[in-house]
């Protein structure tokens, strides 16, 4: 079964740091571009970041650029999001998602169930 | 930055056809993808590249894209189709989502 499972979400104070993980199974992980997408409570979807199949290319939404770092370990079929200098507006459910095609820049066909990050004092 | 505009809500009678629009500047030149999200669940891809259905998505779901508007059409609407629907495109290196449309089946 193709599956993505996120973990690492907790309550953290403003200015704090957090690392999210996403474990992939059921497909050839190192063939695909991967993404993080977030959803604030009661709000819509917001794309956060992507990483190419080999980790050689990464891109970020302006709202997180300079604070978040996406990475992957293909030997462990895992995707990560290092989140620093967290703000209250980063409070959201964070999803990892798989691109439909290896080259990326397409739709997201597989999503995890999400992990909740709450930034609050 | 590129913006996508969706109606906040759309209502459809049971068994009728629902149409959800996604507006953007010359969106017809882009590939548009659509996601369905039910309460408490992750999004599910229902249409990709304007009009293609992933495996397992009913034929009742279809899509079109031209000019400044893309449209998701749900035929013979069922109670189980009640959900939020999001359109999505790529703009340069960025992913852009529409604000989402809540579909109510009456």
């Amino acid at each position: 079964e193709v599956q993505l499972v996120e973990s690492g979400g907790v309550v953290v104070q403003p200015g704090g740091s957090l690392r999210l993980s996403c474990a992939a199974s059921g497909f050839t992980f190192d063939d695909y571009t991967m993404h993080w997408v977030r959803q604030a409570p009661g709000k819509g979807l917001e794309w956060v970041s992507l990483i190419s199949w080999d980790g050689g290319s990464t891109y970020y939404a302006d709202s997180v650029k300079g604070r978040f770092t996406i990475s992957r370990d293909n030997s462990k079929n895992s995707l990560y999001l290092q989140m620093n200098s967290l703000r209250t507006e980063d409070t959201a459910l964070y999803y990892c998602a798989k691109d439909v095609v290896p080259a990326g820049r397409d739709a997201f066909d597989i999503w995890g169930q999400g992990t909740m990050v709450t930034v609050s004092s | 930055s590129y913006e996508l505009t969706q109606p906040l809500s759309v209502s459809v009678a049971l068994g009728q056809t629902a149409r959800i629009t996604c507006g953007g500047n010359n969106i017809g030149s882009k590939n548009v993808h659509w996601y369905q999200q039910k309460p408490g669940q992750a999004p599910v891809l229902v249409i990709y590249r304007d009009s293609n259905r992933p495996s397992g998505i009913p034929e009742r779901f279809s899509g079109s894209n031209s000019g400044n508007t893309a449209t998701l059409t749900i035929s013979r609407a069922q109670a189980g189709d009640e959900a939020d629907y999001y359109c999505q495109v790529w703009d340069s290196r960025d992913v852009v989502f529409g604000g989402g449309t809540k579909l109510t089946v009456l």
Side-chain angles (χ1 to χ4, degrees), chain B residues 7 29 35 48 62 66 68 78-79 93 96-97 103:
Chain B
S29 66
Y35 303 88
Y48 65 99
S62 62
S66 179
N68 294 318
Q78 301 177 358
R93 296 174 177 175
V96 182
F97 286 99
L103 177 68

Side-chain angles (χ1 to χ4, degrees), chain A residues 3-6 22-25 27-37 47-55 57-59 70-72 74 77-80 95-105 108-112, chain B residues 90:
Chain A
Q3 196 172 10
L4 296 171
V5 179
E6 303 92 337
C22 171
S25 59
F27 65 99
T28 307
F29 179 72
D30 54 10
D31 274 354
Y32 290 91
T33 293
M34 297 294 296
H35 302 261
W36 288 98
V37 177
W47 174 76
V48 173
S49 181
L50 74 83
I51 186 167
S52 60
W53 65 274
D54 62 350
S57 296
T58 58
Y59 298 104
I70 191 172
S71 63
R72 65 191 297 162
N74 287 342
N77 288 347
S78 292
L79 175 71
Y80 306 102
Y95 295 102
C96 63
K98 168 189 167 291
D99 211 295
V100 167
V101 296
R105 295 184 60 80
F108 305 158
D109 62 341
I110 305 297
W111 297 65
Chain B
W90 281 83

